[in-house]
Amino acid sequence: MRSILCFVRKRNRLESMKAENVLYTQMTKIRIATKNDLETLLEFEQKLIAHERPHDSTLKQTGKIHYYDLPMLMESDNSEVFVADLKGEIAGTGYGVIEDNKSKYAEPKYGYIGFIVVKDEFRRQGIGDKILKHLLKWFKERDVFEAMLKVYDTNEGAVNLYEKLGFEKGLVEMKINLREE
């Protein structure tokens, strides 16, 4: 009897969490980032770098570094930075850049996706999914029908999200640090 009661409580808790996730997703508005968002986006960038440093020995392991020129990405005609806005709080972000493809490829242009970040407390609630779908829609509206991104293969959560949306693994990038030999 006790195990049944525990099962029912656990099931009720899971159903409550799922309902909360749906609510967060419905309340989240994807919008174009503004200059007012820049400070928060720069904080997101530093958290992303801290998360990725253990995965990449070629990165400077101390000090402040930057991956992105966010003001340029926000100003450029061929890129856009989006944020997931949850009642005035930025819950996540991502950017898209439209690039010319090499002539050997079927599509003349491709969309590059980067800076997919969701705040820890909002993960696994559909926000990353919503940002990515918005970016893919943005590319299609601009007649761009191929998209790509890079992800560390050890980032299983992100890999699973991307595969769920139809991304397929392609070329593997490999590095070697010759200083350590």
Side-chain angles (χ1 to χ4, degrees):
M1 183 72 160
R2 189 175 211 188
S3 63
I4 292 172
L5 185 58
C6 288
F7 174 76
V8 170
R9 283 185 183 154
K10 188 173 185 178
R11 184 173 157 195
N12 288 342
R13 213 177 14 228
L14 286 173
E15 287 172 3
S16 174
M17 287 171 62
K18 285 180 185 176
E20 189 176 286
N21 290 351
V22 168
L23 185 61
Y24 276 142
T25 302
Q26 290 172 348
M27 292 170 40
T28 303
K29 177 184 170 194
I30 306 299
R31 64 172 174 78
I32 294 172
T34 68
K35 289 180 182 177
N36 293 336
D37 300 321
L38 192 55
E39 184 178 331
T40 301
L41 294 175
L42 290 170
E43 290 171 12
F44 276 29
E45 180 187 35
Q46 291 309 305
K47 287 181 182 176
L48 176 64
I49 290 166
H51 174 76
E52 291 184 346
R53 275 182 166 144
H55 300 279
D56 190 341
S57 64
T58 64
L59 290 176
K60 291 180 181 176
Q61 294 299 307
T62 58
K64 194 173 193 175
I65 61 172
H66 292 280
Y67 283 167
Y68 314 111
D69 183 347
L70 291 169
M72 185 275 303
L73 288 168
M74 294 166 74
E75 298 286 327
S76 174
D77 291 336
N78 68 331
S79 64
E80 201 65 78
V81 180
F82 293 101
V83 295
D85 187 316
L86 180 60
K87 297 197 306 190
E89 180 177 359
I90 297 177
T93 188
Y95 76 77
V97 177
I98 298 171
E99 301 277 359
D100 289 327
N101 227 341
K102 293 181 179 175
S103 61
K104 65 182 179 180
Y105 294 111
E107 293 293 337
K109 296 190 178 292
Y110 71 94
Y112 182 81
I113 295 172
F115 197 33
I116 300 298
V117 178
V118 176
K119 275 181 132 177
D120 290 343
E121 61 265 34
F122 299 115
R123 289 198 178 155
R124 301 209 180 280
Q125 296 175 23
I127 293 172
D129 183 279
K130 196 169 185 175
I131 294 167
L132 283 160
K133 286 178 179 174
H134 193 86
L135 282 162
L136 297 174
K137 180 179 174 233
W138 183 78
F139 288 136
K140 282 193 222 178
E141 289 170 349
R142 285 151 185 79
D143 296 323
V144 175
F145 301 104
E146 178 182 74
M148 69 167 291
L149 51 78
K150 293 181 181 180
V151 61
Y152 289 102
D153 63 351
T154 54
N155 189 344
E156 292 177 16
V159 171
N160 290 338
L161 170 62
Y162 303 144
E163 288 180 337
K164 183 179 90 172
L165 290 173
F167 285 85
E168 298 173 352
K169 293 177 183 171
L171 187 65
V172 175
E173 180 180 280
M174 299 176 75
K175 298 179 182 181
I176 185 171
N177 185 338
L178 298 175
R179 287 185 182 277
E180 294 180 5
E181 286 189 353

Coordinates of all heavy atoms in Angstrom, one line a residue, residues 78-119:
N78 N 22.1 40.4 -42.1 CA 22.0 39.0 -42.4 C 22.1 38.1 -41.1 O 22.3 36.9 -41.2 CB 23.2 38.5 -43.3 CG 24.5 38.6 -42.7 OD1 24.8 39.4 -41.8 ND2 25.4 37.7 -43.1
S79 N 21.8 38.7 -40.0 CA 21.8 38.0 -38.7 C 20.8 38.6 -37.8 O 20.3 39.7 -37.9 CB 23.2 38.0 -38.0 OG 23.6 39.3 -37.6
E80 N 20.4 37.8 -36.8 CA 19.4 38.2 -35.8 C 19.7 37.5 -34.5 O 20.0 36.3 -34.5 CB 18.0 38.0 -36.2 CG 17.0 38.9 -35.5 CD 17.1 40.3 -35.8 OE1 16.7 40.8 -36.9 OE2 17.7 41.0 -35.0
V81 N 19.6 38.2 -33.4 CA 19.7 37.6 -32.1 C 18.3 37.6 -31.5 O 17.6 38.6 -31.4 CB 20.7 38.3 -31.1 CG1 20.8 37.7 -29.8 CG2 22.1 38.4 -31.8
F82 N 17.8 36.4 -31.0 CA 16.5 36.3 -30.4 C 16.7 36.0 -28.9 O 17.6 35.3 -28.5 CB 15.7 35.2 -31.1 CG 15.3 35.6 -32.5 CD1 16.0 35.0 -33.6 CD2 14.3 36.4 -32.8 CE1 15.7 35.3 -34.9 CE2 14.0 36.7 -34.1 CZ 14.7 36.2 -35.2
V83 N 15.7 36.4 -28.2 CA 15.6 36.0 -26.7 C 14.3 35.4 -26.5 O 13.3 35.8 -27.1 CB 15.9 37.2 -25.8 CG1 17.3 37.7 -25.9 CG2 14.9 38.3 -26.0
A84 N 14.3 34.5 -25.5 CA 13.0 33.9 -25.0 C 12.7 34.8 -23.7 O 13.4 34.8 -22.7 CB 13.2 32.5 -24.6
D85 N 11.6 35.5 -23.8 CA 11.2 36.5 -22.8 C 10.0 35.8 -22.0 O 9.0 35.6 -22.6 CB 10.7 37.8 -23.5 CG 10.5 38.9 -22.5 OD1 9.8 38.6 -21.4 OD2 10.9 40.0 -22.7
L86 N 10.3 35.6 -20.7 CA 9.3 35.0 -19.9 C 8.9 36.0 -18.8 O 9.6 36.3 -17.9 CB 9.8 33.7 -19.2 CG 8.9 33.0 -18.2 CD1 7.6 32.5 -19.0 CD2 9.6 31.8 -17.6
K87 N 7.8 36.7 -19.1 CA 7.3 37.8 -18.3 C 8.4 38.8 -17.9 O 8.6 39.1 -16.7 CB 6.6 37.2 -17.0 CG 5.4 36.4 -17.3 CD 4.5 36.1 -16.2 CE 5.1 35.5 -15.0 NZ 4.1 35.0 -14.0
G88 N 9.1 39.3 -18.9 CA 10.2 40.3 -18.7 C 11.5 39.7 -18.3 O 12.5 40.5 -18.2
E89 N 11.6 38.4 -18.1 CA 12.9 37.8 -17.7 C 13.4 37.1 -19.0 O 12.7 36.3 -19.6 CB 12.8 36.9 -16.6 CG 14.1 36.2 -16.2 CD 14.0 35.3 -15.0 OE1 12.9 35.2 -14.4 OE2 15.0 34.7 -14.6
I90 N 14.7 37.3 -19.3 CA 15.3 36.5 -20.4 C 15.6 35.1 -19.9 O 16.5 34.9 -19.1 CB 16.5 37.2 -21.0 CG1 16.1 38.6 -21.5 CG2 17.2 36.4 -22.1 CD1 17.3 39.4 -22.1
A91 N 14.9 34.2 -20.5 CA 15.1 32.7 -20.1 C 16.0 32.0 -21.0 O 16.6 31.0 -20.6 CB 13.7 32.1 -20.1
G92 N 16.3 32.5 -22.2 CA 17.1 31.9 -23.2 C 17.4 32.8 -24.4 O 16.8 33.8 -24.5
T93 N 18.3 32.3 -25.2 CA 18.7 33.1 -26.4 C 19.3 32.2 -27.5 O 19.6 31.0 -27.2 CB 19.8 34.1 -26.0 OG1 20.0 35.0 -27.1 CG2 21.1 33.5 -25.6
G94 N 19.4 32.7 -28.6 CA 20.0 32.1 -29.8 C 20.1 33.1 -30.9 O 19.4 34.0 -31.0
Y95 N 21.1 32.8 -31.8 CA 21.2 33.7 -33.0 C 21.3 32.9 -34.2 O 21.6 31.7 -34.2 CB 22.4 34.7 -32.9 CG 23.8 34.0 -33.2 CD1 24.2 33.8 -34.5 CD2 24.7 33.8 -32.1 CE1 25.4 33.2 -34.7 CE2 25.9 33.2 -32.4 CZ 26.3 32.9 -33.7 OH 27.5 32.4 -34.0
G96 N 20.9 33.6 -35.3 CA 21.0 33.0 -36.7 C 21.8 33.9 -37.6 O 21.6 35.1 -37.5
V97 N 22.6 33.4 -38.4 CA 23.3 34.1 -39.4 C 23.1 33.5 -40.8 O 23.3 32.3 -40.9 CB 24.9 34.2 -39.1 CG1 25.6 34.9 -40.2 CG2 25.1 34.8 -37.8
I98 N 22.8 34.3 -41.8 CA 22.7 33.8 -43.1 C 24.0 33.9 -43.8 O 24.6 35.0 -43.9 CB 21.6 34.5 -43.9 CG1 20.2 34.2 -43.2 CG2 21.5 34.0 -45.4 CD1 19.1 35.1 -43.7
E99 N 24.6 32.8 -44.3 CA 25.9 32.8 -45.0 C 25.7 32.3 -46.4 O 24.8 31.5 -46.7 CB 26.8 31.8 -44.2 CG 27.0 32.2 -42.8 CD 28.1 33.2 -42.5 OE1 28.7 33.7 -43.5 OE2 28.3 33.6 -41.4
D100 N 26.7 32.7 -47.3 CA 26.7 32.1 -48.6 C 27.4 30.8 -48.5 O 28.4 30.6 -47.8 CB 27.6 33.0 -49.5 CG 26.9 34.3 -49.9 OD1 25.6 34.3 -50.0 OD2 27.6 35.3 -50.1
N101 N 26.8 29.8 -49.2 CA 27.3 28.4 -49.2 C 28.4 28.3 -50.3 O 28.4 29.1 -51.3 CB 26.2 27.4 -49.5 CG 26.2 26.3 -48.6 OD1 27.2 26.0 -47.9 ND2 25.1 25.6 -48.5
K102 N 29.3 27.4 -50.2 CA 30.3 27.1 -51.3 C 29.5 26.6 -52.5 O 28.5 25.9 -52.3 CB 31.3 26.2 -50.8 CG 32.2 26.8 -49.7 CD 33.3 25.8 -49.2 CE 34.1 26.5 -48.2 NZ 35.1 25.6 -47.6
S103 N 30.1 26.8 -53.7 CA 29.4 26.4 -54.9 C 29.2 24.9 -55.0 O 28.3 24.5 -55.8 CB 30.1 26.9 -56.1 OG 31.4 26.4 -56.2
K104 N 29.9 24.1 -54.3 CA 29.7 22.6 -54.4 C 28.4 22.1 -53.7 O 28.0 21.0 -54.0 CB 30.9 21.9 -53.8 CG 31.1 22.1 -52.3 CD 32.3 21.4 -51.7 CE 32.5 21.7 -50.2 NZ 33.7 21.0 -49.7
Y105 N 27.8 23.0 -52.9 CA 26.6 22.6 -52.2 C 25.3 23.0 -53.0 O 25.3 23.9 -53.8 CB 26.5 23.2 -50.8 CG 27.6 22.7 -49.9 CD1 28.6 23.5 -49.6 CD2 27.6 21.4 -49.5 CE1 29.6 23.0 -48.7 CE2 28.6 20.9 -48.7 CZ 29.6 21.7 -48.3 OH 30.6 21.2 -47.5
A106 N 24.2 22.2 -52.8 CA 23.0 22.4 -53.6 C 22.3 23.7 -53.2 O 21.8 24.4 -54.1 CB 22.0 21.2 -53.3
E107 N 22.3 24.0 -51.9 CA 21.7 25.3 -51.5 C 22.7 26.4 -51.6 O 23.8 26.3 -51.1 CB 21.2 25.2 -50.1 CG 20.1 24.2 -49.9 CD 18.8 24.6 -50.5 OE1 18.6 25.8 -50.8 OE2 17.9 23.7 -50.8
P108 N 22.3 27.6 -52.2 CA 23.2 28.7 -52.3 C 23.5 29.4 -51.0 O 24.5 30.0 -50.9 CB 22.4 29.7 -53.3 CG 21.0 29.3 -53.1 CD 21.0 27.8 -52.8
K109 N 22.6 29.3 -50.0 CA 22.8 29.9 -48.7 C 22.5 28.9 -47.6 O 21.8 27.9 -47.8 CB 21.9 31.1 -48.6 CG 22.3 32.2 -49.5 CD 21.5 33.5 -49.2 CE 21.9 34.6 -50.1 NZ 23.2 35.1 -50.0
Y110 N 23.0 29.1 -46.5 CA 22.7 28.3 -45.3 C 22.6 29.2 -44.1 O 23.1 30.3 -44.0 CB 23.7 27.2 -45.0 CG 25.0 27.7 -44.5 CD1 25.3 27.7 -43.2 CD2 26.1 28.1 -45.4 CE1 26.6 28.1 -42.7 CE2 27.3 28.5 -44.9 CZ 27.5 28.5 -43.6 OH 28.7 28.9 -43.1
G111 N 21.8 28.7 -43.1 CA 21.7 29.4 -41.9 C 22.6 28.8 -40.8 O 22.5 27.6 -40.6
Y112 N 23.3 29.6 -40.1 CA 24.2 29.1 -39.0 C 23.5 29.5 -37.7 O 23.1 30.7 -37.5 CB 25.6 29.7 -39.1 CG 26.4 29.1 -38.0 CD1 27.0 27.8 -38.1 CD2 26.6 29.8 -36.8 CE1 27.7 27.3 -37.1 CE2 27.3 29.2 -35.7 CZ 27.9 28.0 -35.9 OH 28.6 27.4 -34.8
I113 N 23.3 28.6 -36.8 CA 22.7 28.8 -35.5 C 23.8 28.7 -34.5 O 24.6 27.8 -34.4 CB 21.6 27.7 -35.3 CG1 20.5 27.9 -36.3 CG2 21.1 27.8 -33.8 CD1 19.5 26.8 -36.2
G114 N 23.8 29.7 -33.6 CA 24.7 29.7 -32.5 C 24.1 30.3 -31.2 O 23.0 30.8 -31.2
F115 N 24.9 30.2 -30.1 CA 24.5 30.8 -28.9 C 23.2 30.4 -28.3 O 22.4 31.1 -27.8 CB 24.5 32.3 -29.0 CG 24.6 33.2 -27.8 CD1 25.2 32.7 -26.6 CD2 24.0 34.4 -27.8 CE1 25.3 33.5 -25.5 CE2 24.0 35.2 -26.6 CZ 24.7 34.8 -25.5
I116 N 22.9 29.1 -28.5 CA 21.7 28.5 -27.9 C 21.9 28.3 -26.4 O 22.7 27.4 -26.0 CB 21.2 27.2 -28.6 CG1 21.0 27.4 -30.1 CG2 20.0 26.6 -27.9 CD1 19.9 28.4 -30.4
V117 N 21.3 29.1 -25.6 CA 21.5 29.1 -24.2 C 20.2 29.2 -23.5 O 19.4 30.1 -23.9 CB 22.5 30.2 -23.7 CG1 22.6 30.1 -22.1 CG2 23.8 30.1 -24.3
V118 N 19.9 28.4 -22.5 CA 18.7 28.5 -21.7 C 19.1 28.5 -20.2 O 20.0 27.7 -19.8 CB 17.7 27.3 -21.9 CG1 16.5 27.4 -21.0 CG2 17.2 27.3 -23.4
K119 N 18.6 29.5 -19.5 CA 19.0 29.6 -18.1 C 18.7 28.2 -17.4 O 17.7 27.6 -17.7 CB 18.2 30.7 -17.4 CG 18.7 32.0 -17.5 CD 17.8 33.0 -16.8 CE 18.6 33.9 -15.9 NZ 17.8 34.9 -15.2

